[in-house]
């Protein structure tokens, strides 16, 4: 009974968010560095729905190949997540600082509001798109790193909702979800 009830809740969330599953069609490595014991790779994630996200994967060169993987989201973009990323790296984890659609490098310029309205006019919900992007990139990251589960850290109200929806839809994807500066 519990499993059936949770399945119904997940279906309601999918329906309300008009969430259409997507996949990472191509993870384009834009740049990479190796300096002072830290390896980074910057990616543009081309998704199967034609939209994209951007991220920077970071890992200490001395950390284990199968170290814990944490995805870090920040409402002000991945550049604003430096403290959270640093904390995870200092614990020996691999980190993907990710900008979903409408955040940081993945925000249309000069103002994303008009773009969100255009998407809504097509029947899509920006929140559903963001949750689908997060799940697609998390799957790609798990396959790439061989991690069983990923941790998810989100800072800010906007990414909090996408993170919680993604975690509710696929609870086995994330071993832990941490929200900072979100709604109580």
């Amino acid at each position: 009974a519990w499993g059936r009830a949770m399945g119904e809740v997940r279906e309601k969330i999918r329906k309300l968010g008009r969430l259409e599953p997507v996949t990472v069609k191509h993870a384009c490595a834009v740049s990479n560095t190796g300096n002072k014991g830290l390896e980074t790779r910057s990616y543009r994630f081309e998704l199967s729905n034609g939209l994209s996200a951007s991220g920077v994967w970071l890992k200490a060169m001395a950390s284990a190949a199968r170290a814990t993987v944490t995805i870090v989201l920040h409402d002000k973009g991945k550049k604003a997540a430096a403290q959270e990323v640093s904390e995870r790296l200092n614990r020996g984890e691999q980190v993907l600082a990710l900008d979903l659609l409408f955040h940081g490098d993945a925000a249309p310029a000069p103002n994303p509001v008009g773009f969100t309205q255009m998407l809504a006019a097509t029947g899509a919900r920006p929140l559903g798109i963001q949750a689908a992007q997060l799940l697609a990139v998390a799957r790609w990251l798990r396959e790439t790193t061989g991690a069983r589960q990923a941790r998810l850290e989100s800072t800010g109200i906007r990414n909090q909702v996408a993170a919680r929806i993604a975690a509710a839809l696929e609870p086995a994807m994330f071993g832990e979800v941490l929200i900072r500066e979100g709604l109580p």
Side-chain angles (χ1 to χ4, degrees):
W2 175 256
R4 195 176 92 225
M6 288 308 297
E8 290 172 6
V9 169
R10 285 188 188 99
E11 191 51 41
K12 282 183 183 178
I13 291 171
R14 271 190 185 83
K15 200 174 205 178
L16 285 172
R18 296 187 185 148
L19 193 130
E20 295 294 325
V22 296
T23 59
V24 173
K25 188 174 169 183
H26 184 68
C28 179
V30 178
S31 67
N32 65 334
T33 64
N35 192 9
K36 297 182 182 175
L38 183 66
E39 178 182 353
T40 69
R41 286 189 208 144
S42 297
Y43 288 97
R44 181 182 164 275
F45 298 101
E46 182 184 336
L47 301 160
S48 58
N49 63 359
L51 297 173
S52 65
S54 65
V56 177
W57 174 71
L58 305 98
K59 150 184 181 337
M61 290 179 188
S63 68
R66 292 187 146 224
T68 301
V69 176
T70 298
I71 298 172
V72 175
L73 305 171
H74 198 292
D75 279 3
K76 295 178 183 172
K78 62 183 174 286
K79 292 176 185 172
Q83 179 180 347
E84 293 86 350
V85 169
S86 179
E87 287 173 10
R88 293 286 128 201
L89 286 171
N90 289 337
R91 292 185 174 156
E93 297 178 15
Q94 302 178 65
V95 180
L96 178 67
L98 181 64
D99 282 340
L100 300 172
L101 187 63
F102 308 123
H103 296 281
D105 294 342
N111 185 358
V113 174
F115 195 70
T116 61
Q117 291 172 339
M118 286 189 301
L119 282 174
T122 67
R125 297 209 200 259
L127 183 56
I129 292 170
Q130 291 170 334
Q133 284 185 326
L134 177 54
L135 288 169
V137 173
R139 274 186 226 98
W140 172 86
L141 186 62
R142 283 178 37 183
E143 290 170 12
T144 302
T145 63
R148 226 180 61 242
Q149 286 183 322
R151 289 185 69 261
L152 179 58
E153 283 194 22
S154 175
T155 302
I157 295 168
R158 294 183 305 150
N159 273 311
Q160 169 191 6
V161 180
R164 288 192 185 271
I165 287 174
L169 290 174
E170 293 191 31
M173 181 69 66
F174 305 105
E176 179 183 2
V177 178
L178 175 67
I179 306 294
R180 300 173 193 231
E181 299 173 24
L183 289 173

